[in-house]
Amino acid sequence: DTGVSQDPRHKITKRGQNVTFRCDPISEHNRLYWYRQTLGQGPEFLTYFQNEAQLEKSRLLSDRFSAERPKGSFSTLEIQRTEQGDSAMYLCASSSGAGGWTDTQYFGPGTRLTVL
Amino acid sequence: KQEVTQIPAALSVPEGENLVLNCSFTDSAIYNLQWFRQDPGKGLTSLLLIQSSQREQTSGRLNASLDKSSGRSTLYIAASQPGDSATYLCAVTFSGYALNFGKGTSLLVTP
């Protein structure tokens, strides 16, 4: 069990460019979550997958954001036409699904995005 | 609006002291509450999860309590050490699967 991994760890991009982040959950975890954290704030929920199905999306997830989880394994989060306000730490978490509503979510190290 | 608040925002204590971090939430109908630790620039490490039917959970020097009726949780850290220095985040599941986080308490334990 190697934990949740995220790639890249850091991304610097220019305003208007598209970026894509990858998350690999803990093996056999069927639930995957994306959060965004800005400086001095707690993480904010973006979206949730049960296997390959995207079941919950926050209003924070504007139409410039899209997330996928093909085959229910790794997930990608894409941001199109980045804006300076998108600068944040993007965190991925996974859980086993065995606990129902009481699952423990395990977080990855995050991808820090800086939009210039 | 369902909100999670953590007090204090920052705390500095000398090594060896026992300390309490506070978390309050606006809706008593919660599924669970989880405490996390976050080191600077890093991801989150889960410390304790309390289900809605439980009153407390313990792990080593950590003890977390939950009082749903008053909308409060506390994280008690016994015999603090410099290695405990980090930001501690409280997160509540109100509905669905999303964790709702407070802004955290930044803890500094001085030698």
Side-chain angles (χ1 to χ4, degrees):
Chain A
D1 189 348
T2 57
V4 178
S5 61
Q6 294 187 243
D7 184 70
R9 296 291 306 277
H10 303 273
K11 178 70 176 179
I12 300 174
T13 190
K14 294 182 179 179
R15 184 163 52 95
Q17 298 293 305
N18 300 340
V19 295
T20 300
F21 310 140
R22 176 179 170 125
C23 170
D24 286 272
I26 293 172
S27 178
E28 298 183 359
H29 275 192
N30 58 30
R31 294 177 180 170
L32 187 145
Y33 316 78
W34 285 99
Y35 293 83
R36 180 177 72 183
Q37 185 177 26
T38 53
L39 198 62
Q41 304 294 315
E44 296 172 292
F45 171 76
L46 292 177
T47 191
Y48 156 69
F49 289 86
Q50 173 94 19
N51 298 311
E52 67 275 9
Q54 188 174 19
L55 298 184
E56 198 169 337
K57 292 170 62 174
S58 162
R59 59 179 173 76
L60 294 175
L61 213 66
S62 73
D63 56 5
R64 295 186 298 106
F65 288 71
S66 63
E68 295 182 340
R69 194 184 182 197
K71 302 179 183 178
S73 56
F74 71 93
S75 175
T76 59
L77 178 67
E78 180 183 16
I79 308 174
Q80 296 182 328
R81 305 181 302 281
T82 52
E83 302 172 355
Q84 288 185 327
D86 297 331
S87 295
M89 176 80 88
Y90 289 84
L91 295 162
C92 176
S94 71
S95 66
S96 66
W101 296 107
T102 64
D103 257 5
T104 297
Q105 296 185 23
Y106 297 92
F107 281 76
T111 294
R112 179 163 297 284
L113 172 66
T114 302
V115 182
L116 302 176
Chain B
K1 183 181 176 183
Q2 295 164 329
E3 293 185 342
V4 179
T5 304
Q6 292 188 245
I7 295 173
L11 182 63
S12 179
V13 299
E15 182 178 6
E17 276 204 4
N18 303 325
L19 60 99
V20 174
L21 307 181
N22 297 292
C23 172
S24 61
F25 44 94
T26 54
D27 187 345
S28 62
I30 69 171
Y31 286 106
N32 60 53
L33 184 146
Q34 199 165 348
W35 282 93
F36 291 89
R37 167 186 173 139
Q38 185 173 33
D39 293 285
K42 302 291 181 61
L44 280 65
T45 301
S46 177
L47 298 173
L48 292 164
L49 181 145
I50 310 177
Q51 299 179 17
S52 62
S53 59
Q54 298 175 323
R55 295 297 301 270
E56 66 177 340
Q57 284 284 348
T58 298
S59 176
R61 295 183 294 108
L62 306 179
N63 176 275
S65 67
L66 173 64
D67 184 344
K68 284 196 307 178
S69 61
S70 64
R72 295 180 186 277
S73 175
T74 61
L75 178 66
Y76 174 82
I77 302 177
S80 58
Q81 304 170 358
D84 295 330
S85 298
T87 296
Y88 291 80
L89 292 157
C90 170
V92 176
T93 302
F94 291 109
S95 63
Y97 296 95
L99 290 173
N100 296 268
F101 285 86
K103 293 184 179 181
T105 294
S106 178
L107 173 65
L108 176 64
V109 181
T110 55

